Amino acid sequence: MSAAAGTERAWRERLDTPVRWAGAAIGLTANALVSFSPEPDVDLLYGFPVFGLCVMGGVLTADVIARPTPGPLRVAEVAPRRIRDYLPRFLTAALAVQAVVLLVLLIVAATTGSADADGRSGRALSVACPEGTQLLSLWPGPHYAWPVLGGLALGTVACALLLRRVTTRCGSDDQRRTSVRAAVGAWGVLVTAPLFAVSLTMGVVVLSMVCAGGMKDVALWGLAITALTSALTACHCLGVLLLPQAYIKARP
């Protein structure tokens, strides 16, 4: 490798982490801008998907900037690389489970949602009580579910393409493992941040019910555990995203 190529490679690698941090900072800024919406619920249920997409965009940009330059052609034994060989297994499994939980909660919210007091469909939960019908909002029905699902779908496709790109290109195993963990961390934010928002929103509505009986306690406990777990996982994913090198030597 020439001195110029080595200098360019070092420069690219130094930009990798700052660009990922910049993506997270832009996501926080975008989330703050969304909070100025006249609807107070938009920040919680819309802002988190926007934040997650900005984080994923930062990882993609960092990978484009810091990708290793092709070195001299070498002849070696052919050993196909597999994406799963570089994935952090425990974190990936935990995120897959939470993604399923998010989809289940959104389906439940979509099928049980009704119009709110202003006649807007899918934004409230109607509960029939002996004292009368109780209309509770805000409820993460279809109006709020589509942005979450759209962001999750876009982020999942981007993450899959990035993982394939990182696994098949040249570079050291440590470089590939770093990039893969950063991509998984970004996808984790896309999953856990909306999951926290949805479970917290549903929990507030369930807490306001006056005639749910024993099912209310079960639902509250389940939603509280989900919100806490997703919040802790989101913090861990941010750590993996912003400082993936610190997790290279950790067991997957």
Side-chain angles (χ1 to χ4, degrees), residues 6 16 105 120-121 217 219 228 241 246:
D16 188 20
L105 290 180
R120 300 174 298 181
S121 62
D217 296 333
L228 178 61
L241 162 70

Side-chain angles (χ1 to χ4, degrees), residues 120-136:
R120 300 174 298 181
S121 62
R123 302 194 187 194
L125 178 66
S126 180
V127 181
C129 298
E131 299 82 4
T133 300
Q134 188 180 15
L135 192 62
L136 303 170

Side-chain angles (χ1 to χ4, degrees), residues 4-235:
T7 302
E8 180 185 0
R9 178 177 176 179
W11 176 77
R12 287 176 180 272
E13 290 179 351
R14 282 198 297 269
L15 285 178
D16 188 20
T17 299
V19 171
R20 288 197 300 269
W21 280 77
I26 292 172
L28 290 175
T29 303
N31 186 280
L33 292 176
V34 172
S35 67
F36 286 97
S37 169
E39 295 188 53
D41 55 304
V42 169
D43 178 46
L44 185 63
L45 294 171
Y46 284 12
F48 281 169
V50 171
F51 172 69
L53 287 175
C54 291
V55 166
M56 180 60 73
V59 173
L60 288 171
T61 304
D63 183 77
V64 171
I65 293 176
R67 67 184 183 277
T69 54
L73 182 63
R74 294 176 298 179
V75 178
E77 181 182 357
V78 177
R81 304 190 194 105
R82 301 173 300 179
I83 294 176
R84 66 173 179 265
D85 293 335
Y86 297 94
L87 289 175
R89 292 190 291 271
F90 180 78
L91 178 60
T92 303
L95 292 176
V97 171
Q98 293 187 50
V100 172
V101 174
L102 175 61
L103 293 176
V104 170
L105 290 180
L106 290 176
I107 291 173
V108 171
T111 55
T112 58
S114 58
D116 61 7
D118 296 326
R120 300 174 298 181
S121 62
R123 302 194 187 194
L125 178 66
S126 180
V127 181
C129 298
E131 299 82 4
T133 300
Q134 188 180 15
L135 192 62
L136 303 170
S137 62
L138 53 95
W139 185 250
H143 178 76
Y144 303 111
W146 285 117
V148 175
L149 291 174
L152 182 59
L154 288 175
T156 301
V157 172
C159 183
L161 293 176
L162 179 56
L163 291 177
R164 178 176 176 80
R165 168 192 172 99
V166 169
T167 305
T168 57
R169 74 186 179 197
C170 63
S172 67
D173 276 349
D174 281 352
Q175 289 174 330
R176 281 188 286 271
R177 198 173 298 277
T178 297
S179 298
V180 166
R181 288 177 182 268
V184 172
W187 185 72
V189 173
L190 270 170
V191 171
T192 56
L195 177 59
F196 172 77
V198 170
S199 57
L200 181 63
T201 303
M202 295 179 72
V204 171
V205 170
V206 172
L207 185 63
S208 303
M209 293 180 181
V210 297
C211 60
M215 289 301 298
K216 174 180 177 178
D217 296 333
V218 174
L220 278 177
W221 274 106
L223 292 170
I225 293 174
T226 301
L228 178 61
T229 303
S230 60
L232 294 176
T233 309
C235 293

